[in-house]
Amino acid sequence: MSGRNHPVDGDGEISAADIPSPQQANTSYVHRVEVPPKQNFFNEFMYTFKETFFHDDPLRHFKDQTKSKKLMLGIQSVFPVIEWGRKYNLKMFRGDIIAGLTIASLCIPQDIGYAKLASLDPKYGLYSSFVPPLVYACMGSSKDIAIGPVAVVSLLLGTLLRAEIDPNTNPNGYLRLAFTSTFFAGVTQAALGFFRLGFLIDFLSHAAIVGFMGGAAITIALQQLKGFLGINKFTTKTDIIAVLRSVISAAHHGWNWQTILISASFLIFLLVSKFIGKKNKKLFWIPAIAPLISVIISTFLVYITRADKKGVQIVKHLDKGLNPSSLRLIYFSGDNLLKGCRIGVVSGMVALTEAVAIGRTFAAMKDYQIDGNKEMVALGAMNVIGSMTSCYVSTGSFSRSAVNFMAGCQTAVSNIIMSIVVLLTLLFLTPLFKYTPNAILAAIIINAVIPLIDVNAAVLIFKIDKLDFVACMGAFFGVIFVSVEIGLLIAVAISFAKILLQVTRPRTAILGKIPGTSVYRNINQYPEATRVPGVLTIRVDSAIYFSNSNYVRERIQRWLTDEEEMMKTTSLVRIQCLIIEMSPVTDIDTSGIHALEDLYKSLRKRDIQLVLANPGPAVIHKLHVSHFADMLGYDKIYLTVAQAVDSCSPKLSDEV
């Protein structure tokens, strides 16, 4: 290829007869970049489709199996409990029962508080920790995730619902919209899993999630000041300014010192117990049971002192009994159907993001795999069924999952044990919560959301990627200064903006030769790398598409212009050859090829030679079928940058 043009046959292919034999080739002959064999359009489409939606080859277990075996495998894929249930033993049960009882002691007080966070009756929080965990235990693939209401989703759901219906003036309509939203949250989650669209949740970057969670945690904590301080009249807004204004305006006559004493004392107790658990991992059970102990002690104190008559707000009546059916309460027509669908999609996506992240985290710690799409179907099914049994949106709780993990859970049976404890609570123990002060629920929620403010993660994001940090802070300040939904919108918008920026403005770099080698690297990364006089080597670090093709062409020309101006001032050899290192260019489209054509024509007018180095199979195929390779010349397409430089300026490259 070096030093001569290879003729092509009638189909545009280079004839094998035209390639010189080793005897004919001189020492300067180099291997050419091969054009891959033609691909059948249908096969190429199916390969792309499979890699997009079925990259994990989910049907591999069904190959070469009998029909009965395939049927059993199909049932197991929907209900993993059938597979692991056959291997279940007493040793596993010991770990699961301890973990289940531990997370039950944590979830009961949290559920009551989270339901109030969503402006729902406390019993709905308990309902949501009874049915959904049972469904997930049968369909989920995570061994460690603990299912139930969580603070962030409860706040988000409550905020979106209150924007549509006032729970004080229309409690029945509010409740119906909550069940409708839960139904559509489940439908959204199940649909994403069934159609294998789980990759969509990855568009919400880790940095945006860190910022959103941190902002939501502060918002949740501020919302608890109503119960913490014993304020009767409190704003329904969630932004920090409105909340602080409401707190300050009630300072003279709205605060209750008995309430503050209860909430502050038990918050200190909860924080100390959490500190003990962190210092000694074997004492994980202390922070796990601390919330329930706090509820028991504070309820007893309020009852014997009748503090409720001195202004301490209490839970009051909590209905006994199992989850009633709520199917007839779901809106399947009218304006509220669309409202419920919109709220359900938003809350369902946030709940899904949290659950999948938790599941992957603990699966990695125990070195087992979870199927993200199956997880979505399981989470969706449990919320659809939950919406019909008086539950609101449930998902994986990080705090409870961490306790579940540390307690030694072996399987999803720990969720079943937790559900049984919640069932017994609903049947027999709910009257005991009558005198539970709202102050203790506020303290429990504040204690639970503090870990969501991950300062270390934010600092690390700042060190690694400043644009990621902007996304993090945008979501954070959007939540605390405007609203939860605006913060979420900012997080999504900045995440998409980052993707667009990276796609439309790819990195380019000038390459130089590492002394003593034939390796060419970025001269900014390797200052010792030397430039070959008369040759400019540029690497493009991205696929070249319609969205960035003009930028890539203009950026290359700007590099060239800058180099030529520098040559004039230093009296160096003018640029005679422009080499584009294309190994990072994974693909190219029509616009990208047109950009290369325009660049080629522009360089010809300036008497500069365009050379390509190491284009990949997809790129060389498209350069071939578009006839750009013919226009450029196959002898101008090289396997390595070193070969390209040697061809452009052999004497100069030897001297460097």
Side-chain angles (χ1 to χ4, degrees), residues 623-641:
L623 295 180
H624 169 70
V625 297
S626 67
H627 300 294
F628 176 74
D630 297 330
M631 177 190 296
L632 179 66
Y634 280 94
D635 60 328
K636 300 298 185 294
I637 304 176
Y638 290 87
L639 201 62
T640 67
V641 174

Side-chain angles (χ1 to χ4, degrees), residues 1-5 28 635-636 638 647:
M1 175 160 50
S2 177
R4 76 185 187 105
N5 287 316
S28 66
D635 60 328
K636 300 298 185 294
Y638 290 87
S647 172

Side-chain angles (χ1 to χ4, degrees), residues 454-467:
D454 198 340
V455 177
N456 291 332
V459 171
L460 183 61
I461 289 168
F462 177 78
K463 291 178 180 178
I464 294 173
D465 192 320
K466 302 301 185 287
L467 193 58

Side-chain angles (χ1 to χ4, degrees), residues 421-567:
V421 175
V422 173
L423 167 65
L424 295 174
T425 302
L426 286 167
L427 289 176
F428 305 110
L429 303 180
T430 50
L432 299 179
F433 291 100
K434 179 179 179 180
Y435 290 98
T436 299
N438 289 339
I440 194 63
L441 300 178
I444 289 170
I445 292 175
I446 292 171
N447 177 65
V449 300
I450 287 175
L452 296 178
I453 307 171
D454 198 340
V455 177
N456 291 332
V459 171
L460 183 61
I461 289 168
F462 177 78
K463 291 178 180 178
I464 294 173
D465 192 320
K466 302 301 185 287
L467 193 58
D468 258 356
F469 185 74
V470 171
C472 179
M473 289 297 100
F476 177 80
F477 289 117
V479 171
I480 65 172
F481 283 108
V482 188
S483 65
V484 178
E485 60 268 35
I486 293 299
L488 183 61
L489 182 62
I490 291 173
V492 173
I494 295 178
S495 296
F496 270 101
K498 183 184 177 185
I499 294 171
L500 290 175
L501 187 62
Q502 290 176 335
V503 170
T504 59
R505 295 295 183 267
R507 295 177 185 269
T508 57
I510 294 180
L511 306 184
K513 185 179 180 183
I514 303 294
T517 73
S518 60
V519 177
Y520 286 77
R521 292 292 183 265
N522 188 338
I523 60 174
N524 289 327
Q525 184 179 2
Y526 298 92
E528 72 275 14
T530 55
R531 306 275 295 281
V532 177
V535 177
L536 177 62
T537 305
I538 297 175
R539 187 183 67 219
V540 179
D541 294 334
S542 168
I544 305 176
Y545 291 128
F546 66 93
S547 58
N548 63 20
S549 58
N550 284 329
Y551 169 80
V552 169
R553 175 178 55 80
E554 291 171 359
R555 189 68 186 92
I556 291 173
Q557 288 178 324
R558 194 159 74 251
W559 279 122
L560 184 60
T561 301
D562 292 343
E563 289 296 307
E564 288 180 333
E565 290 178 355
M566 185 178 70
M567 297 300 176

Side-chain angles (χ1 to χ4, degrees), residues 87-101:
K87 306 172 187 175
Y88 201 72
N89 55 47
L90 185 61
K91 184 179 179 181
M92 292 180 176
F93 182 68
R94 287 198 200 101
D96 285 335
I97 194 168
I98 294 172
L101 292 173

Side-chain angles (χ1 to χ4, degrees), residues 26-40:
N26 56 33
T27 56
S28 66
Y29 176 76
V30 294
H31 289 286
R32 67 187 177 92
V33 176
E34 297 288 347
V35 179
K38 279 188 176 181
Q39 293 290 325
N40 178 277

Side-chain angles (χ1 to χ4, degrees), residues 66-80:
T66 62
K67 289 184 178 180
S68 58
K69 183 67 174 177
K70 287 180 179 178
L71 177 62
M72 180 55 67
L73 289 173
I75 296 172
Q76 285 181 6
S77 67
V78 179
F79 300 101

